[in-house]
Amino acid sequence: MGTLWYNGSIYTMQTEYDQVEAIFTENGSIIEVGEASALRDTYRDTITNEVDLQGQMLIPGLVDSHLHLIGHGEKLMRLDLSMMKSRDEILQALLNKCAQTPAGEWIIAEGWNENEWPDSTLILRDDLDQLSNEHPLVLKRACRHAVVVNSSALTGSGIEENIEQPFGGVIGRYKDARLNGMFKEAPALELIMNHVPGITEEYVRRALSASIRACHRLGLTGGHSEDLHYYNGFLPTYQAFVSVIEEAKLPFRVNLLVHNEVVDDMKEAGYGYRSKQGLIELDAMKLFADGSLGGNTALLSHPYRDRPDTQGVAIYTEKELHDLVQKARNYEMPIAVHAIGDLAFEMVLDAICAYPPKPGWRDRLIHAQIMRRDLLDRAKDLPVIFDIQPGFVPSDFPWVIDKIGKEHMEYNYAWKTFIEEGIHCAGGSDAPIEPVDPLLGIHAAVTRRKPFGPDQTIYNEKECLSLFEALSLYTTGSAYAIGQEESRGKIAPGYVADFTVFEKDLYTVQPDEWLEIQAGMTVVNEQIVYAKK
């Protein structure tokens, strides 16, 4: 039996400002749109529920095209450093946490970013050793491409002073050659993270549940998430998603990227690209081509301005990258590649040209922050999606200019240019690296400035998006990224009944007022999963 949704500002996302008066849904799908009275007459025998929107704004369900759902849940459960604005504040918070934690128990903290501190001097091993030798301490940087640990964590991980640096990873040292506790990129990070206890099935389910509930409260109806490599392997993590979303009835429409390290496990378990169970679907094979800007490990075609001794880190050699793309094709999968630096991006384009996707498939280039004109010209002729994170603009500017060099900035974070060049873009947060709130991402895409604080500088104003373009990133763009543009991302017959409802119409207020607006309702598969009280 069906539901009539009416009495709101209902934007279809078919074209800018296009609205309808009412929607009739049934069995999780949109059946018809039109005038409320006409729909009542037509479906009077099947309408069993009516939802009065009370003047609120209804749009297709917002979908975060790139996040880490379990990681976001972990951030909610752990000591959060992301809002702390100085190294002293962080050290004090850690000292307090140590005092509250039984000796021997690992303490994991999330989200430090030295670029946000007045004094950007890093917190390193000796600083952490002054806090505790009884607790292994692990501090994850905001980008999650670096951690810093104390001596107790080194001992607990079996790491000795003479350890060799793995290819594609960075192990930091003091000037006297002692380990300084800094580990960057997966090959080095795994030396620590593989020894962190506590990743039980119950822990993963708890983190995932907390994450989805937080997404619901912010109006998110789905996400494209990459989690399957980090929590006891492919099958236990996949089963955790099934347990929470399908069995525990916590609806969230999720596409799971499959890390290349577990793609063999996926095949052995009998799954493949677009294998589906309820609201859960397996998607492209995920690769990392480089690291992060904050850690100077994103791979550039030129030296860093603030670190002329490096151009970043290639996670794989060119041959290894080509071999992995070929493996994805052999497994009949598109790829989704983390590529922040322009040289990493170029390497990925070369690999795609060497092993093009199957007709109808679309590869995803995730982040695409540091760009060149020639790379844009190549990319727009390929079946690729740029998976962008608007929130990186207020987070990365102005420090990224000093890091990259003003002369290399013309096509960086160039969202408007990408769209005008005909490149399909999807929008996400990269949570827990950035806040998962989609209104923060939409605000960043439209204003290109920080949402709060005294610095209201607009960075590269010509790249500001319209509200319609920004909303499209999280609706039609996210749908296009997974080949579902004919069934998701719009209000139209035959599309899924996933809706985001905001208390106020975003079109009627100024961008800074968006930051005060809350989700009034979140609807997944015709089911109201969140309603503001």
Side-chain angles (χ1 to χ4, degrees):
M1 308 307 282
T3 302
L4 182 72
W5 312 77
Y6 70 101
N7 191 28
S9 299
I10 301 175
Y11 291 89
T12 69
M13 294 304 295
Q14 302 255 29
T15 58
E16 191 168 17
Y17 305 120
D18 184 54
Q19 295 186 59
V20 295
E21 185 178 301
I23 309 168
F24 174 67
T25 62
E26 191 174 28
N27 297 324
S29 296
I30 297 171
I31 304 301
E32 191 173 344
V33 301
E35 294 182 357
S37 59
L39 293 178
R40 281 196 185 93
D41 288 343
T42 302
Y43 297 101
R44 58 180 176 270
D45 294 331
T46 54
I47 293 175
T48 55
N49 184 36
E50 292 195 9
V51 177
D52 183 349
L53 298 170
Q54 300 181 345
Q56 298 182 106
M57 178 188 192
L58 183 148
I59 56 177
L62 295 178
V63 173
D64 190 312
S65 72
H66 183 67
L67 79 165
H68 307 271
L69 275 168
I70 298 173
H72 178 57
E74 287 185 291
K75 183 177 180 179
L76 296 173
M77 293 160 50
R78 291 173 172 173
L79 178 60
D80 184 4
L81 310 177
S82 63
M83 301 304 291
M84 299 182 187
K85 298 302 182 183
S86 72
R87 68 191 311 274
D88 288 343
E89 184 180 358
I90 288 175
L91 291 171
Q92 184 61 53
L94 287 167
L95 185 62
N96 295 341
K97 184 70 172 178
C98 290
Q100 301 164 4
T101 305
E105 189 172 312
W106 288 63
I107 295 175
I108 315 295
E110 298 264 359
W112 59 271
N113 183 357
E114 76 283 4
N115 295 301
E116 300 292 332
W117 307 341
D119 174 7
S120 60
T121 303
L122 292 171
I123 295 172
L124 296 173
R125 172 187 178 183
D126 289 347
D127 302 302
L128 297 180
D129 283 350
Q130 292 182 37
L131 302 179
S132 177
N133 287 313
E134 296 181 334
H135 305 89
L137 300 178
V138 180
L139 279 62
K140 292 187 175 184
R141 194 180 184 280
C143 62
R144 283 201 162 195
H145 286 258
V147 301
V148 62
V149 303
N150 66 349
S151 295
S152 182
L154 292 175
T155 301
S157 302
I159 294 175
E160 299 180 352
E161 290 288 344
N162 62 354
I163 187 171
E164 293 186 7
Q165 180 168 284
F167 182 85
V170 177
I171 297 178
R173 294 184 180 274
Y174 291 112
K175 291 181 179 179
D176 63 2
R178 289 187 306 123
L179 295 175
N180 68 9
M182 185 70 71
F183 292 75
K184 299 180 181 180
E185 303 310 325
L189 293 176
E190 290 171 357
L191 299 173
I192 298 291
M193 300 312 298
N194 286 347
H195 294 275
V196 175
I199 309 299
T200 63
E201 291 182 16
E202 190 277 333
Y203 171 89
V204 173
R205 288 195 298 269
R206 187 157 52 94
L208 183 56
S209 298
S211 183
I212 291 175
R213 289 191 177 96
C215 289
H216 284 163
R217 288 193 297 271
L218 295 168
L220 287 168
T221 63
H224 308 164
S225 190
E226 198 260 296
D227 305 270
L228 296 173
H229 173 48
Y230 313 106
Y231 306 97
N232 302 323
F234 169 82
L235 197 55
T237 310
Y238 180 77
Q239 289 172 338
F241 274 89
V242 173
S243 173
V244 170
I245 294 175
E246 295 299 323
E247 296 170 7
K249 307 299 183 185
L250 195 58
F252 197 71
R253 205 176 295 276
V254 64
N255 281 66
L256 294 174
L257 302 180
V258 184
H259 194 290
N260 65 281
E261 293 285 348
V262 295
V263 72
D264 290 333
D265 298 333
M266 176 197 74
K267 296 296 286 187
E268 289 175 7
Y271 296 92
Y273 175 52
R274 289 190 169 169
S275 292
K276 190 171 183 180
Q277 185 160 350
L279 298 175
I280 305 164
E281 186 173 29
L282 294 177
D283 213 279
M285 187 171 94
K286 170 71 181 292
L287 307 168
F288 283 83
D290 66 347
S292 72
L293 288 169
N296 291 92
T297 52
L299 187 63
L300 308 180
S301 59
H302 54 84
Y304 279 86
R305 174 58 57 86
D306 65 332
R307 282 278 309 278
D309 60 319
T310 185
Q311 291 180 222
V313 175
I315 303 301
Y316 299 106
T317 66
E318 186 174 6
K319 182 182 184 306
E320 289 171 335
L321 185 60
H322 281 234
D323 288 347
L324 284 169
V325 176
Q326 184 182 29
K327 180 177 185 176
R329 306 314 190 205
N330 290 341
Y331 279 177
E332 296 194 334
M333 299 177 74
I335 57 171
V337 189
H338 168 114
I340 290 179
D342 62 327
L343 184 52
F345 196 94
E346 183 175 358
M347 290 173 63
V348 176
L349 290 185
D350 289 344
I352 290 173
C353 289
Y355 300 99
K358 185 178 179 179
W361 290 356
R362 295 157 187 160
D363 291 329
R364 300 170 69 153
L365 294 160
I366 301 171
H367 305 314
Q369 287 160 254
I370 309 304
M371 191 58 57
R372 305 192 313 257
R373 175 75 254 180
D374 63 298
L375 299 179
L376 279 179
D377 289 337
R378 289 183 63 190
K380 67 184 183 182
D381 292 329
L382 296 173
V384 298
I385 290 94
F386 283 14
D387 204 335
I388 64 173
Q389 292 70 48
F392 284 176
V393 172
S395 290
D396 293 1
F397 284 85
W399 59 260
V400 71
I401 301 172
D402 295 330
K403 188 172 286 288
I404 302 299
K406 190 175 294 185
E407 68 276 19
H408 299 296
M409 293 299 297
E410 182 176 2
Y411 293 103
N412 297 347
Y413 304 76
W415 319 141
K416 186 79 167 185
T417 296
F418 296 169
I419 292 171
E420 289 178 343
E421 292 289 337
I423 294 169
H424 289 275
C425 295
S429 65
D430 204 10
I433 282 70
E434 295 291 336
V436 77
D437 189 346
L439 281 179
L440 285 175
I442 291 164
H443 182 274
V446 172
T447 68
R448 292 184 69 89
R449 58 175 169 80
K450 297 184 184 299
F452 312 106
D455 181 8
Q456 292 293 288
T457 305
I458 299 173
Y459 295 101
N460 202 356
E461 188 170 4
K462 69 182 181 65
E463 297 295 345
C464 291
L465 301 187
S466 69
L467 176 56
F468 178 74
E469 289 169 330
L471 289 172
S472 295
L473 296 175
Y474 298 86
T475 53
T476 54
S478 289
Y480 190 87
I482 55 173
Q484 299 289 342
E485 67 271 19
E486 298 299 325
S487 62
R488 303 184 195 177
K490 295 180 182 179
I491 304 294
Y495 282 68
V496 296
D498 293 353
F499 308 135
T500 297
V501 178
F502 287 122
E503 292 178 302
K504 293 183 180 179
D505 187 335
L506 302 183
Y507 281 101
T508 65
V509 296
Q510 295 300 309
D512 284 354
E513 294 181 69
W514 302 343
L515 304 173
E516 303 299 325
I517 293 174
Q518 297 181 342
M521 192 183 302
T522 306
V523 180
V524 179
N525 212 36
E526 203 181 357
Q527 177 182 342
I528 298 174
V529 296
Y530 169 78
K532 184 183 176 185
K533 296 180 180 179

